[in-house]
Amino acid sequence: MKKWLYISFAALVLTGCNQEQAQEPATKKAASTAYTSNLNISPVKITEGEEKFAALGNQQIGSVKLKGTLKTTHWLKGVEYLPNKKERTLFTLELEPKKYDTQVRFSQSFSDDKIHLGLDVDDTTVQGDDSFKHLDDYMIRGADFRSRASAATPYNLLMVYHMTTKNGIRGFNLNEVTRPADVPLKKGERIFGIVLSNQK
């Protein structure tokens, strides 16, 4: 009996060692995929002159400063949020891994039955738009922008533009949005955003 107990205990110890060895690569893999970029996103106040100039073109404008280091490629994107808790990309601008001390300006406007989103980074401008069948049916809220500085995460909502055909338009805390699923779409809504993400 003692011999049987000894063998069982030894087998148990060996089994535990094998489990630890099997778990070790998974732990290392999880650590290697952790977010490593060190970038701060800070809102930049729009001047009165900039606001007046934007108003002439019926634009909503905002700006943030990116300061720090991207360790991997990121993308600035104009997106529309979809009912399936995903996003549809209207345009992208690639940011290569390097140090940044850069201001990003973004804008939203309308013409005819289209919504326009755009952004400027250094000397580069990118834009995208989407059409509406009945734009006049929507109550237009305007844009929400980041209100405080924060460290970048894998998904950063910089601006959101919310439209609905119903009463009671809701606002957004942009700093709490960490993925497209955090922007649930209700019936009669269309929601657009400008995002900094490590996924294209």
Side-chain angles (χ1 to χ4, degrees):
M1 177 65 72
K2 290 182 180 180
K3 185 177 181 181
W4 181 83
L5 288 173
Y6 175 77
I7 293 173
S8 298
F9 179 74
L12 182 62
V13 171
L14 289 173
T15 301
C17 291
N18 289 337
Q19 287 178 341
E20 289 178 0
Q21 290 174 354
Q23 291 173 356
E24 186 177 1
T27 303
K28 287 183 177 179
K29 183 177 181 181
S32 66
T33 58
Y35 190 70
T36 58
S37 292
N38 182 18
L39 188 78
N40 288 320
I41 304 173
S42 304
V44 176
K45 184 175 176 58
I46 301 300
T47 66
E48 184 178 350
E50 288 174 323
E51 287 183 346
K52 288 181 178 179
F53 185 77
L56 294 175
N58 194 26
Q59 289 185 329
Q60 299 267 354
I61 60 173
S63 182
V64 296
K65 188 169 187 178
L66 307 180
K67 188 170 184 178
T69 303
L70 289 180
K71 298 291 185 66
T72 62
T73 301
H74 282 55
W75 289 267
L76 286 163
K77 306 187 292 184
V79 302
E80 179 179 11
Y81 293 100
L82 304 175
N84 61 1
K85 297 186 178 181
K86 295 184 179 181
E87 63 185 24
R88 180 172 64 90
T89 301
L90 303 177
F91 64 81
T92 61
L93 176 63
E94 183 177 306
L95 298 182
E96 62 183 8
K98 67 175 186 179
K99 288 186 177 180
Y100 284 88
D101 189 357
T102 303
Q103 188 169 347
V104 179
R105 300 174 183 271
F106 32 84
S107 63
Q108 175 280 324
S109 63
F110 289 97
S111 65
D112 298 326
D113 285 337
K114 287 187 176 182
I115 183 173
H116 303 275
L117 297 175
L119 58 84
D120 295 285
V121 182
D122 297 328
D123 297 326
T124 303
T125 300
V126 290
Q127 294 180 331
D129 57 55
D130 197 46
S131 299
F132 289 78
K133 290 183 178 180
H134 303 288
L135 181 59
D136 293 339
D137 291 344
Y138 288 86
M139 298 172 56
I140 300 173
R141 170 186 168 82
D144 285 327
F145 303 96
R146 284 189 168 237
S147 59
R148 59 182 173 84
S150 62
T153 64
Y155 191 90
N156 309 271
L157 183 57
L158 306 180
M159 183 204 84
V160 66
Y161 198 86
H162 182 199
M163 305 171 64
T164 181
T165 59
K166 302 179 182 296
N167 292 323
I169 299 177
R170 54 200 166 97
F172 290 89
N173 184 337
L174 278 66
N175 296 79
E176 294 181 354
V177 175
T178 61
R179 54 181 181 159
D182 290 340
V183 186
L185 204 65
K186 297 180 180 179
K187 186 176 180 180
E189 292 182 330
R190 293 191 71 175
I191 300 176
F192 298 85
I194 291 180
V195 174
L196 171 66
S197 174
N198 66 351
Q199 299 293 322
K200 189 174 183 180

